[in-house]
Amino acid sequence: MINFDIKKFEKLQYKFEGDSFEYNFSSLNKVLYYFSFFGNLFSVIFAYFFVQNIANFIPEFFTGQQYFVSALIIVFMVSFELFKRFAFEQYVFSILKVKKLTLNIIISGIMVVVLIAGSFYLSLNGSQRIINRAQVIVENTDELIKQEVDELKAIYNPRIENYQNQINILFDGLSTTRFVTRDNQRIEEFTEEVNILEAELSKKIEEIEQKYINKTTSQEELNKSNILALVLITSFMELVILLGVGFHAFYIRKTYESYKRYVESPEYKNILKLISLLSLLYQNGNKKEGDNVPSFVSLKSLVNVKNIRSTDKELKDFMNLCIESEIIRPINRRRKIFNLNFEQSKQLIEKQQQL
């Protein structure tokens, strides 16, 4: 046996059989619209670092200037993002309203594109200031190479200088010594040792440089990948903003059109007429639950006084509807009482007629 839930059925019926854009896309509109503010938040943060980098070149004129400039940048970027949202939303409204290409649409489109491009440029450059480590990689690599080369030179240079000093001493004594041949031989040996040490030192320096070149290349490739990912993220966040704001404008327009069709429909006019009759029956809400219901003749007189166009058949159908809906409850043939208050009755009528 099926466990039938009438309220669930009514919701499903309204979803699949009704013509309510507002009901079907309400959740999507809220998700996209509010999520788009996160895109604006990231745009403000990224753009801040770019503009702040430029503002650092401004000479300091007073104490605390950096904090004032930072606050000014944040206020400016927040205002810029909000203005971009407003401009794009109004542009979408204009397109949906006009539904054709006009000069105003073209000019407005150019202005919106400029705003979007400006926001994207600031965000992209600011995000690169955060993640682009190319300069840092080069500086760190140069520092590490210098450090290791200095350590090598600290080992090799004393030995090379020692041999060079001995060579200089032997050269100075060649004119006075009797062992010219032997000293020349020693000079050649020391010179060869110097050349060997210098060659070893040069080779090891080249090895160190090559090691860090390979490491730097790997880091630069990773840095390029990070920059590419950041470009995609920045583009995605900008798309999220446009999609959220654009769909929100489209959602409002479609909801308005749906409401307008409903207001102009015979069903809505019938509801208004029933509510008017209900108001007369309740004497503008003065009647309460348990009070006596005015007679058919009294209701007809009130209808004539208020100039509401209703035939006797329509009034009888209305009274029967109230009885069937248990808005009023017959006590006997002539006496009937209100079973609900006016607000409850009104909501019940509206719900029944909408279904």
Side-chain angles (χ1 to χ4, degrees):
M1 184 176 179
I2 300 175
N3 186 15
F4 187 72
D5 188 340
I6 185 63
K7 291 184 178 180
K8 186 175 182 180
F9 171 74
E10 289 174 353
K11 288 183 179 180
L12 292 172
Q13 184 183 35
Y14 187 67
K15 180 177 182 179
F16 290 106
E17 297 182 9
D19 182 25
S20 177
F21 185 88
E22 179 190 19
Y23 178 82
N24 294 329
F25 293 93
S26 176
S27 298
L28 178 62
N29 172 62
K30 289 178 181 178
V31 170
L32 290 176
Y33 184 71
Y34 291 113
F35 188 63
S36 67
F37 283 102
F38 284 100
N40 292 117
L41 177 62
F42 280 105
S43 294
V44 170
I45 294 173
F46 290 154
Y48 169 82
F49 287 97
F50 176 67
V51 180
Q52 178 66 37
N53 186 66
I54 298 174
N56 289 334
F57 293 98
I58 301 175
E60 187 172 353
F61 295 103
F62 55 88
T63 305
Q65 176 177 311
Q66 56 181 352
Y67 301 108
F68 175 78
V69 172
S70 296
L72 193 63
I73 292 172
I74 292 173
V75 171
F76 170 76
M77 290 312 308
V78 170
S79 302
F80 181 81
E81 287 296 316
L82 292 177
F83 179 70
K84 181 186 71 175
R85 290 178 65 92
F86 173 78
F88 183 67
E89 185 177 48
Q90 295 304 310
Y91 180 65
V92 175
F93 278 141
S94 299
I95 292 176
L96 294 174
K97 182 179 180 180
V98 177
K99 295 181 180 179
K100 62 180 179 180
L101 193 64
T102 63
L103 181 61
N104 289 335
I105 292 294
I106 295 174
I107 295 174
S108 300
I110 293 173
M111 293 177 62
V112 169
V113 168
V114 170
L115 290 173
I116 294 171
S119 174
F120 182 74
Y121 175 80
L122 293 174
S123 300
L124 187 59
N125 281 275
S127 60
Q128 287 189 3
R129 293 289 191 281
I130 300 173
I131 202 170
N132 191 352
R133 295 178 51 82
Q135 184 64 30
V136 176
I137 291 171
V138 172
E139 292 176 356
N140 289 344
T141 301
D142 291 342
E143 183 63 28
L144 291 172
I145 291 174
K146 183 178 182 301
Q147 182 179 344
E148 292 199 22
V149 169
D150 289 342
E151 290 176 357
L152 278 176
K153 287 181 177 180
I155 296 173
Y156 280 87
N157 283 349
R159 296 171 62 186
I160 293 172
E161 289 176 2
N162 181 46
Y163 283 120
Q164 287 177 338
N165 289 336
Q166 293 186 53
I167 291 171
N168 292 333
I169 291 172
L170 290 172
F171 269 120
D172 291 340
L174 281 179
S175 59
T176 59
T177 182
R178 293 176 299 168
F179 307 102
V180 175
T181 303
R182 188 190 66 179
D183 289 346
N184 281 328
Q185 185 178 357
R186 293 183 67 185
I187 289 172
E188 290 177 0
E189 292 175 355
F190 290 156
T191 301
E192 185 177 355
E193 288 294 332
V194 169
N195 292 335
I196 292 172
L197 290 173
E198 287 180 342
E200 288 182 4
L201 178 60
S202 297
K203 183 179 179 181
K204 290 186 177 181
I205 289 175
E206 288 178 2
E207 290 175 351
I208 291 171
E209 290 176 344
Q210 188 61 44
K211 178 182 71 174
Y212 281 104
I213 286 173
N214 294 335
K215 186 177 180 180
T216 300
T217 302
S218 176
Q219 290 178 338
E220 286 177 346
E221 290 297 327
L222 179 61
N223 186 60
K224 289 179 181 178
S225 298
N226 291 338
I227 292 174
L228 177 60
L230 196 61
V231 170
L232 295 176
I233 291 173
T234 305
S235 302
F236 174 73
M237 296 310 297
E238 195 68 34
L239 181 63
V240 165
I241 296 172
L242 299 180
L243 185 61
V245 175
F247 185 80
H248 182 66
F250 178 73
Y251 175 82
I252 292 175
R253 179 67 186 185
K254 292 294 290 184
T255 301
Y256 162 74
E257 291 176 354
S258 178
Y259 281 180
K260 185 179 180 182
R261 285 195 302 270
Y262 179 67
V263 168
E264 293 174 349
S265 67
E267 291 82 2
Y268 181 75
K269 294 177 180 178
N270 183 54
I271 290 176
L272 289 180
K273 189 172 185 179
L274 291 175
I275 297 301
S276 299
L277 294 175
L278 191 68
S279 178
L280 291 178
L281 191 65
Y282 273 87
Q283 296 182 359
N284 295 325
N286 292 323
K287 292 288 185 177
K288 299 179 181 179
E289 183 180 350
D291 290 349
N292 291 326
V293 177
S295 65
F296 179 82
V297 176
S298 299
L299 177 61
K300 185 176 179 180
S301 300
L302 291 171
V303 167
N304 293 331
V305 171
K306 296 294 182 179
N307 292 323
I308 298 176
R309 293 183 179 180
S310 293
T311 63
D312 289 351
K313 183 179 181 305
E314 289 175 338
L315 292 178
K316 289 178 181 179
D317 290 340
F318 168 71
M319 294 298 293
N320 290 332
L321 175 65
C322 291
I323 294 173
E324 292 172 359
S325 304
E326 298 183 351
I327 292 174
I328 59 178
R329 178 162 54 91
I331 301 299
N332 51 46
R333 185 180 177 186
R334 296 194 176 190
R335 181 170 175 243
K336 302 178 183 66
I337 63 172
F338 289 105
N339 203 35
L340 302 172
N341 61 39
F342 176 71
E343 288 300 324
Q344 292 173 330
S345 301
K346 180 181 176 183
Q347 292 174 7
L348 183 60
I349 290 290
E350 290 175 345
K351 183 178 181 181
Q352 287 180 340
Q353 295 303 311
Q354 287 173 355
L355 288 176

